[in-house]
Amino acid sequence: MIIEPRMRGFICLTAHPEGAAQNVKKQIEYVKSKGAINGAKKVLVIGASTGFGLSSRITSAFGSDASTIGVFFEKPPMEGKTASPGWYNSAAFEKEAHAAGLYAKSINGDAFSKEIKEQVINLIKEDLGQVDLVIYSLASPVRVHPETGVTHRSSLKPIGQTFSNKTVDFHTGKVSEVSIEPANEEDIENTVTVMGGEDWAMWIDALKDAGVLAEGALTVAYSYIGPALTEAVYRKGTIGRAKDHLEATAFEISDKLKDIHGKAYVSVNKALVTQASSAIPVIPLYISLLYKIMKEMGLHEGTIEQMQRLYAERLYNGGEMPLDDKGRIRIDDWEMRDDVQAKVAELWKKADTDNLAEIGDLEGYRKDFYNLFGFDYENVDYKADTNEVVAIESIK
Ligand SMILES: NC(=O)c1ccc[n+]([C@@H]2O[C@H](COP(=O)([O-])OP(=O)(O)OC[C@H]3O[C@@H](n4cnc5c(N)ncnc54)[C@H](O)[C@@H]3O)[C@@H](O)[C@H]2O)c1
């Protein structure tokens, strides 16, 4: 079929397999260009198909020659209907990994469930014996609790008072005021249940009880802090409470891993265009200004540059791991630099519909967004008839 982007609100309903393959190839080339990383050799990535998780998987495989098991929740294609982008990314990743002689298998299903945890444990036992790195990179709006069966939905709301600020519709470039009503207690609890650390801890408990975590195993989950500008809706809002919980969970997991000399870390990453971040009001405007400044200053990174730096300069730097005063790894260090933030704050005051295309990197935002779905890559013929029914070589 001829596959074109079909937008609905903050999501794109179609995805292009050839573009997804380009995305994966570019990331692999970048990691290879940076040289070998003396990292883990057997890696489980939970949330492996898009964003930071996909880039983590690529960094492990092509930076450290690691065997990888990827877990994700993606929609397979059907005749006449494209898959979700993470499906095509994973198909392309496995193809490249297998061609390079690397072990790579994937499991598609709900990572919050007991069944998927069991499937992953069985696969590790059968194929790898144990894993020495577990990346936890889920971003989901909903979680069915495995013990109660209750469906929890997360929300992106301020706490305490209504938040009003500027936002942009990145499709039209229109800057407008947005007001978001504050969360109630239930919203907060639900968001913490979905995006907090409970499921991460459940994964590590299950893996450890099954004996599939190697001596000295590491586990890393991802968080975000961001500037004062987005604080009310992000770090001090419902999602921030979930991140507080996730960060606190790292210490609990580290305690439980002491006997195998394992450790849990949270890495605070940079704000980037992903499916998850596009849905948060205010963030797209912040990101388009941030991109402009960071590109001008030569500091811009995408998910692959971030993950390569996380592995090479933090997790596997051969020495002491630099941590902040709350025990977190910081690779949002360039985003949070005073000079970067001062410039963004200056632009924020001025930003409106008329000047945003010039003072912000709206074009860069849009391109990254289209790229997420495999569109807008130079080397892809989007007019060509394309096979949408692409298989992942070793899907379970
Ligand atoms: N995007 C940002 O700006 C940003 C910045 C810092 C930290 N983070 C954090 O990084 C993490 C990953 O976010 P992202 O932006 O890369 O997200 P993303 O939407 O690109 O990726 C989410 C992944 O989770 C998987 N997933 C979702 N629900 C699932 C389920 N029920 N079972 C199995 N897999 C499931 C998806 O298939 C996908 O692989 C999140 O914790 C996020 O808060 C994001």
Side-chain angles (χ1 to χ4, degrees):
M1 67 189 274
I2 311 286
I3 305 171
E4 288 177 335
R6 271 183 41 222
M7 294 293 165
R8 182 166 303 158
F10 298 115
I11 53 162
C12 178
L13 301 175
T14 50
H16 204 288
E18 302 295 331
Q22 282 294 320
N23 173 16
V24 167
K25 274 193 193 131
K26 277 173 79 172
Q27 295 199 33
I28 292 172
E29 274 160 28
Y30 176 79
V31 168
K32 283 190 180 159
S33 77
K34 301 297 274 187
I37 300 167
N38 192 12
K41 294 286 186 200
K42 294 175 182 180
V43 179
L44 168 63
V45 181
I46 303 159
S49 55
T50 55
F52 286 111
L54 173 66
S55 296
S56 305
R57 189 177 194 186
I58 291 173
T59 305
S60 276
F62 290 90
S64 306
D65 283 338
S67 300
T68 59
I69 292 176
V71 183
F72 44 77
F73 207 8
E74 300 291 343
K75 197 165 52 71
M78 287 187 311
E79 201 81 25
K81 205 158 190 273
T82 64
S84 53
W87 178 277
Y88 291 138
N89 290 339
S90 302
F93 170 80
E94 280 206 6
K95 205 169 160 201
E96 295 288 337
H98 297 156
L102 296 169
Y103 171 100
K105 285 193 184 174
S106 305
I107 291 185
N108 190 35
D110 182 6
F112 295 128
S113 70
K114 282 188 186 157
E115 293 72 24
I116 290 295
K117 291 182 175 75
E118 273 163 25
Q119 266 193 44
V120 169
I121 287 167
N122 289 336
L123 184 60
I124 298 173
K125 280 184 181 164
E126 277 163 29
D127 289 0
L128 303 178
Q130 292 186 318
V131 289
D132 39 20
L133 174 64
V134 180
I135 297 288
Y136 187 84
S137 186
L138 289 189
S140 173
V142 37
R143 173 180 176 213
V144 177
H145 199 282
E147 271 146 22
T148 61
V150 173
T151 302
H152 299 270
R153 285 177 203 285
S154 64
S155 54
L156 296 158
K157 293 183 181 174
I159 294 173
Q161 57 201 25
T162 305
F163 171 68
S164 300
N165 211 326
K166 290 180 194 179
T167 192
V168 66
D169 176 337
F170 56 88
H171 293 302
T172 60
K174 189 166 183 275
V175 177
S176 60
E177 276 290 309
V178 62
S179 276
I180 315 164
E181 293 298 311
N184 57 32
E185 274 310 310
E186 221 186 321
D187 292 328
I188 300 171
E189 273 168 34
N190 279 324
T191 308
V192 171
T193 306
V194 179
M195 286 298 285
E198 188 188 30
D199 181 62
W200 184 25
M202 284 178 164
W203 265 102
I204 301 301
D205 284 346
L207 294 165
K208 184 167 182 249
D209 289 350
V212 297
L213 284 184
E215 173 76 18
L218 292 186
T219 182
V220 185
Y222 300 139
S223 188
Y224 182 65
I225 297 177
L229 276 172
T230 60
E231 205 168 53
V233 71
Y234 197 94
R235 193 63 206 209
K236 291 191 174 161
T238 47
I239 182 74
R241 288 290 176 88
K243 292 301 186 192
D244 290 344
H245 187 271
L246 183 84
E247 290 173 14
T249 305
F251 295 101
E252 285 170 23
I253 295 176
S254 280
D255 271 349
K256 291 190 205 161
L257 294 182
K258 268 197 181 123
D259 57 333
I260 59 162
H261 303 104
K263 241 178 146 352
Y265 291 100
V266 161
S267 169
V268 182
N269 301 347
K270 178 196 183 197
L272 282 172
V273 180
T274 63
Q275 292 182 70
S277 67
S278 302
I280 311 177
V282 185
I283 300 281
L285 179 58
Y286 168 70
I287 290 181
S288 64
L289 299 176
L290 180 75
Y291 272 29
K292 180 81 170 186
I293 301 297
M294 291 187 84
K295 284 179 184 173
E296 270 174 15
M297 294 172 81
L299 295 173
H300 181 68
E301 296 174 294
T303 54
I304 194 64
E305 289 85 358
Q306 279 264 292
M307 294 300 97
Q308 201 280 337
R309 193 155 68 91
L310 168 66
Y311 279 55
E313 295 181 21
R314 303 290 193 272
L315 296 176
Y316 303 109
N317 64 5
E320 194 90 345
M321 179 121 54
L323 299 172
D324 72 6
D325 58 356
K326 293 192 170 137
R328 301 171 294 204
I329 298 169
R330 302 296 295 266
I331 48 165
D332 64 339
D333 46 351
W334 299 352
E335 169 183 355
M336 298 308 282
R337 267 172 47 166
D338 289 344
D339 51 351
V340 171
Q341 285 303 324
K343 287 184 181 170
V344 173
E346 198 51 42
L347 291 181
W348 185 274
K349 284 188 229 149
K350 295 197 264 196
D352 62 25
T353 308
D354 295 333
N355 64 19
L356 186 61
E358 195 190 319
I359 69 165
D361 187 23
L362 202 52
E363 218 23 68
Y365 193 105
R366 278 200 201 115
K367 187 168 173 58
D368 276 12
F369 186 79
Y370 275 84
N371 282 176
L372 294 177
F373 300 89
F375 295 110
D376 215 0
Y377 281 98
E378 285 79 27
N379 308 328
V380 177
D381 179 2
Y382 290 101
K383 300 258 181 314
D385 193 12
T386 304
N387 178 18
E388 70 282 14
V389 188
V390 175
I392 300 178
E393 287 176 359
S394 67
I395 194 76
K396 284 256 179 179

